[in-house]
Amino acid sequence: MTGTHTTSSDPTVDRESLPVELVDEQGRATGVLPVADAHMAPGRLHRAFSVLLFAPDGRVLLQQRAAVKTRFPLRWSNTCCGHPAPGQSVTEAALARLGEELRVRAELREVGVYRYRAADPATGRVEDEWDHVLIGDFDGLPDDADPAEVAATRWLDPDHLDADIAAAPEDFTPWLHGVLTTARAAR
């Protein structure tokens, strides 16, 4: 299926209806479900990815998730994230989402997997993800982010980010700290 899936760049596509790949506790594919179904309580473990872009000075690019997001809206998070289509390369999917959400390009490399589970008390949805972490280098600010995906962007020093997450965890997505830890271990 690589290269044959529909992406969110088509405004007529409901992202919640797109398929995600279910996985077992070792990350092996076990089936397919629509995004919405995989995130309904109690949640189903599925493949995802999180991208972190770093500036030359080591700062990390964050995005504030759009208000219309069905999971953790308006929280600060990693540069971008999403779900590869079943059978799609994680890197290919991450590059596509980076372009769709922030309208930027970067070379990415996968640096690990962060397994997490988190319920969103505001929406009742559940994240249960085998999250592939990818990093890349980028300089500048995205100037044409998709407002349906991104409310704002900002650069932040990772050490300050750790302190901010500790001081106000409700302002950040619950996976951000683990994704950042995974990425920093590889840098």
Side-chain angles (χ1 to χ4, degrees):
M1 288 185 54
T2 299
T4 62
H5 67 286
T6 305
T7 66
S8 68
S9 60
D10 179 347
T12 64
V13 172
D14 173 15
R15 288 200 54 77
E16 294 293 299
S17 68
L18 294 175
V20 295
E21 185 174 73
L22 300 177
V23 299
D24 65 16
E25 293 293 332
Q26 288 75 46
R28 296 178 299 227
T30 62
V32 175
L33 268 183
V35 169
D37 293 349
H39 290 93
M40 290 296 197
R44 298 283 303 273
L45 182 58
H46 60 279
R47 192 172 314 285
F49 60 82
S50 289
V51 174
L52 280 173
L53 294 181
F54 290 88
D57 64 5
R59 291 176 303 152
V60 63
L61 180 62
L62 301 181
Q63 73 155 270
Q64 184 182 34
R65 295 166 61 82
V68 297
K69 291 287 206 174
T70 61
R71 295 169 304 280
F72 302 99
L74 294 176
R75 291 200 189 191
W76 286 96
S77 194
N78 46 285
T79 309
C80 87
C81 55
H83 306 95
Q88 182 184 29
S89 151
V90 172
T91 302
E92 176 186 307
L95 287 168
R97 285 303 289 155
L98 194 55
E100 292 164 3
E101 289 189 13
L102 297 170
R103 317 277 198 254
V104 300
R105 297 180 57 89
E107 287 189 32
L108 300 177
R109 68 180 174 101
E110 186 173 343
V111 296
V113 172
Y114 175 61
R115 167 73 168 87
Y116 74 94
R117 181 178 174 75
D120 183 351
T123 67
R125 305 289 175 94
V126 175
E127 296 277 5
D128 191 1
E129 297 191 334
W130 184 268
D131 194 14
H132 297 259
V133 178
L134 299 100
I135 63 173
D137 297 319
F138 182 73
D139 197 9
L141 271 177
D143 59 2
D144 187 30
D146 181 351
E149 300 288 341
V150 180
T153 58
R154 68 178 175 167
W155 287 103
L156 198 60
D157 177 272
D159 292 332
H160 290 130
L161 179 55
D162 286 336
D164 288 351
I165 292 171
E170 68 280 359
D171 291 345
F172 300 90
T173 57
W175 61 87
L176 178 57
H177 185 268
V179 167
L180 181 61
T181 299
T182 303
R184 288 166 83 183
R187 280 187 58 87

